[in-house]
Amino acid sequence: MVRENALSIDDLIWPLFLVEGKGVTQPVESMPGVERYSVDKAVAAAERAATLGIPAIALFPYTDPALRDETGSEALNPENLVCTACRAIKARVPEIGLITDVALDPYTSHGHDGLMMGDEIVNDETIAVLTSQSLIQAEAGADIIAPSDMMDGRVGAIRRALDAAGHANTQIMAYSAKYASAFYGPFRDAIGTSATLKGDKRTYQMDPGNTDEALREAELDLAEGADMVMVKPGLPYLDIIWRIRDTFQVPTFAYQVSGEYAMIQAAAGNGWIDGDRAMLESLLAFKRAGANGILTYFAPRVAEQLGG
Ligand code: PBG
């Protein structure tokens, strides 16, 4: 009764990985318990999420390597995996919130979030592509567009494009404070970019030593029209969640990323920690830090426990 913070099913967003095919569920080796789903299986997962009371899912594609190219052109194909999944899920499970990631990394041969010229990621040229990517996702039924690319000025450009195309109600969840982190490793396995990624993402993702910069990024994204902001990774950056929430009083989300999930699963799998307790404690910590919601691969397991 007197506990100050509590985790609820309403706080959960479930990130799902997509893969081509039919009837396919493919385990992700570095994320025990997580699978890639073909579109039909993703629809079933969305149904499961809705039944469990999970309010939203976030979609990430493993793009067929043959479709990846220098400019990530598959990102702009309205029939690509993400858009196909959006339409299929919206048709069958209209009540689930759909979040789509805006960035080019699942589609580029070099695994970067933006366009490359020589060794550089070029900001403004990338924004033009991200804007088109956002439009086809909104067209396909995405409720929330989540730019994770960290280019400067992309939120404003996406907002204007959405409004002009009649998608004023499509919201933007900005990955405002996205750190250049070692904890994204298993995710890059899941979407198939770990082998191909050239170099690192330190020129556009944030330095783990910085705090004030996170506030400036959030402020810019909010000024450009973001409806909510996100901090990522999660647990190592609770102070950032707290400061953003405290400073701006806007909906602030945390992403408990793949490496955080893998650490808990690996230790639990070895019998070194109590996996269920560690899972719930790590998620409660986000609530204590002020997060309004959490993207977590544990979402269905948590919902089963909290609901049952
Ligand atoms: C990139 C993106 C990444 C994640 C979400 N969107 C990885 C990266 O920046 O390389 C990571 C999520 C996770 O690790 O669970 N657009």
Side-chain angles (χ1 to χ4, degrees):
M1 270 172 69
V2 292
R3 194 175 213 188
E4 295 169 36
N5 295 287
L7 179 67
S8 89
I9 298 176
D10 281 336
D11 297 320
L12 304 170
I13 297 171
W14 185 17
L16 291 181
F17 296 111
L18 304 169
V19 67
E20 294 292 343
K22 216 173 178 289
V24 181
T25 52
Q26 235 174 40
V28 178
E29 204 185 332
S30 50
M31 301 179 74
V34 168
E35 290 167 324
R36 301 185 194 98
Y37 299 115
S38 54
V39 169
D40 56 321
K41 292 286 183 183
V43 172
E47 274 167 349
R48 179 173 169 223
T51 307
L52 286 166
I54 295 172
I57 57 177
L59 303 177
F60 296 95
Y62 175 95
T63 307
D64 181 343
L67 296 175
R68 299 183 198 210
D69 59 23
E70 194 67 22
T71 58
S73 55
E74 179 67 5
L76 303 187
N77 173 7
E79 307 299 323
N80 70 19
L81 256 183
V82 165
C83 294
T84 308
C86 280
R87 281 188 294 267
I89 292 168
K90 271 291 159 190
R92 287 281 297 281
V93 202
E95 68 272 29
I96 199 90
L98 269 187
I99 303 175
T100 52
D101 202 71
V102 172
L104 300 181
D105 53 325
Y107 310 100
T108 51
S109 46
H110 45 71
H112 279 288
D113 294 20
L115 297 176
M116 283 189 100
M117 281 183 190
D119 286 338
E120 280 183 13
I121 309 299
V122 285
N123 195 86
D124 297 6
E125 292 81 352
T126 298
I127 288 180
V129 182
L130 298 176
T131 304
S132 309
Q133 184 184 20
S134 306
L135 285 178
I136 65 158
Q137 291 177 349
E139 232 25 85
D143 300 295
I144 300 179
I145 300 290
S148 73
D149 53 284
M150 292 296 279
M151 300 301 127
D152 294 330
R154 87 278 202 221
V155 171
I158 291 171
R159 183 71 272 161
R160 284 189 294 276
L162 288 173
D163 290 352
H167 296 293
N169 292 331
T170 307
Q171 301 187 48
I172 298 180
M173 177 189 282
Y175 284 67
S176 296
K178 179 171 179 188
Y179 286 86
S181 172
F183 291 103
Y184 306 145
F187 174 95
R188 292 179 189 168
D189 291 341
I191 65 160
T193 59
S194 15
T196 48
L197 181 62
K198 298 206 177 85
D200 59 49
K201 301 193 179 182
R202 276 180 243 191
T203 58
Y204 49 103
Q205 298 183 351
M206 285 179 47
D207 179 344
N210 291 354
T211 304
D212 293 339
E213 187 188 0
L215 293 188
R216 288 195 299 273
E217 294 277 3
E219 188 172 19
L220 283 172
D221 288 346
L222 290 165
E224 289 177 27
D227 298 280
M228 51 208 133
V229 297
M230 194 215 288
V231 175
K232 160 184 177 193
L235 221 48
Y237 297 90
L238 290 183
D239 56 322
I240 309 297
I241 298 168
W242 175 259
R243 268 194 87 189
I244 289 183
R245 193 52 219 286
D246 200 43
T247 307
F248 302 110
Q249 285 95 38
V250 292
T252 305
F253 289 77
Y255 198 145
Q256 182 179 51
V257 300
S258 57
E260 300 176 70
Y261 172 86
M263 281 197 298
I264 294 176
Q265 288 295 78
N270 279 300
W272 296 335
I273 58 171
D274 178 332
D276 279 335
R277 282 188 56 201
M279 166 181 87
L280 293 172
E281 187 179 330
S282 66
L283 294 169
L284 181 58
F286 290 114
K287 297 294 293 179
R288 209 185 53 246
N292 296 91
I294 309 150
L295 286 96
T296 173
Y297 302 98
F298 287 120
R301 195 163 127 199
V302 174
E304 260 157 22
Q305 293 196 9
L306 295 182

